Amino acid sequence: MAPTSKTSTLRLGKALKRSFFDRNVREVALDLIGATMLVDGVGGLIVEVEAYHHTEPAAHSYNGPTPRNRIMFGPPGFAYVYRSYGIHWCVNFVCEEEGSASAVLIRALEPTHGIATMRRRRHLQDVHALCSGPGKLTEALGITIAHNTLPLDRWPIALHARTEDVEVATGIRIGITKAVELPWRYGVRGSKFLSKPFPR
């Protein structure tokens, strides 16, 4: 996954359908590592995610449905977008059967498509810093609240399965105060595009 070898002509894997997300949220999270995420043709390889399950208190859905999180309680395969700390957007993929209210937070990408557009949106040149965090990648991909509730298998969103094996690292989730012991953060081991390195 060397950054110098990725271009907009990168071979894409099979398109992921909404049925892909109708599984255990941690299984989906693991299978998303190395997949390609595009929004209106801009994006890259997913290198870091976190899983959230409705049974643990770090999940937005833990205390039941609200106007903000209602999409989490619907069928799988839809985007859940919310504002974090009133500053930046975060994008999640709703998983499991309707009513489960579980989701995968997309934390970091390795840019491969539309890098010039990402640089313009982020006002920086360093390719490693374009999508190295959940708020950074939404800004780079132009994701806003307008993308909330959109299906993950229709334009402008496209997801493609990984085309090569990856070594997945696991660790505790970042920036939470509840259920901090759960090792539900997953990423490409050794990637230079992570929001934070995994422990060795």
Side-chain angles (χ1 to χ4, degrees), residues 2-105:
T4 55
S5 67
K6 303 299 181 185
T7 70
S8 59
T9 60
L10 181 75
R11 183 172 68 87
L12 296 174
K14 67 177 182 180
L16 299 180
K17 302 300 183 183
R18 273 174 272 173
S19 58
F20 172 87
F21 300 93
D22 191 10
R23 301 180 288 142
N24 180 281
V25 67
R26 283 168 289 169
E27 293 178 2
V28 175
L30 283 166
D31 288 344
L32 283 171
I33 299 300
T36 298
M37 175 184 180
L38 303 174
V39 178
D40 200 14
V42 176
L45 300 175
I46 298 173
V47 296
E48 183 184 351
V49 302
E50 289 177 347
Y52 288 87
H53 194 266
H54 71 280
T55 57
E56 46 91 11
H60 285 185
S61 54
Y62 182 70
N63 291 318
T66 66
R68 180 175 81 157
N69 70 17
R70 192 168 302 279
I71 186 63
M72 294 182 72
F73 291 83
F78 288 82
Y80 166 44
V81 180
Y82 65 89
R83 182 84 81 174
S84 178
Y85 301 110
I87 300 172
H88 55 252
W89 301 109
C90 292
V91 62
N92 302 256
F93 298 163
V94 177
C95 300
E96 302 193 0
E97 69 276 3
E98 185 168 357
S100 172
S102 301
V104 175
L105 170 66

Side-chain angles (χ1 to χ4, degrees), residues 152-163:
L152 298 174
D153 58 354
R154 295 183 189 172
W155 187 91
I157 301 173
L159 295 164
H160 297 268
R162 62 179 175 234
T163 58

Side-chain angles (χ1 to χ4, degrees), residues 39-199:
V39 178
D40 200 14
V42 176
L45 300 175
I46 298 173
V47 296
E48 183 184 351
V49 302
E50 289 177 347
Y52 288 87
H53 194 266
H54 71 280
T55 57
E56 46 91 11
H60 285 185
S61 54
Y62 182 70
N63 291 318
T66 66
R68 180 175 81 157
N69 70 17
R70 192 168 302 279
I71 186 63
M72 294 182 72
F73 291 83
F78 288 82
Y80 166 44
V81 180
Y82 65 89
R83 182 84 81 174
S84 178
Y85 301 110
I87 300 172
H88 55 252
W89 301 109
C90 292
V91 62
N92 302 256
F93 298 163
V94 177
C95 300
E96 302 193 0
E97 69 276 3
E98 185 168 357
S100 172
S102 301
V104 175
L105 170 66
I106 310 304
R107 285 199 57 89
L109 302 180
E110 176 182 338
T112 58
H113 292 66
I115 293 176
T117 298
M118 294 188 203
R119 284 173 166 156
R120 184 176 67 253
R121 288 170 173 166
R122 296 272 292 117
H123 306 289
L124 57 80
Q125 292 296 308
D126 182 4
V127 69
H128 297 96
L130 290 176
C131 298
S132 58
K136 295 176 182 180
L137 74 86
T138 53
E139 183 177 36
L141 273 60
I143 295 173
T144 69
I145 194 63
H147 294 85
N148 188 43
T149 77
L150 293 183
L152 298 174
D153 58 354
R154 295 183 189 172
W155 187 91
I157 301 173
L159 295 164
H160 297 268
R162 62 179 175 234
T163 58
E164 58 186 46
D165 292 335
V166 294
E167 184 180 356
V168 179
T170 63
I172 60 174
R173 296 172 296 185
I174 297 173
I176 58 175
T177 58
K178 300 175 182 179
V180 295
E181 74 284 356
L182 295 176
W184 290 2
R185 175 177 170 241
Y186 308 98
V188 176
R189 185 174 298 281
S191 172
K192 299 180 184 298
F193 300 88
L194 300 173
S195 67
K196 183 179 180 180
F198 284 83

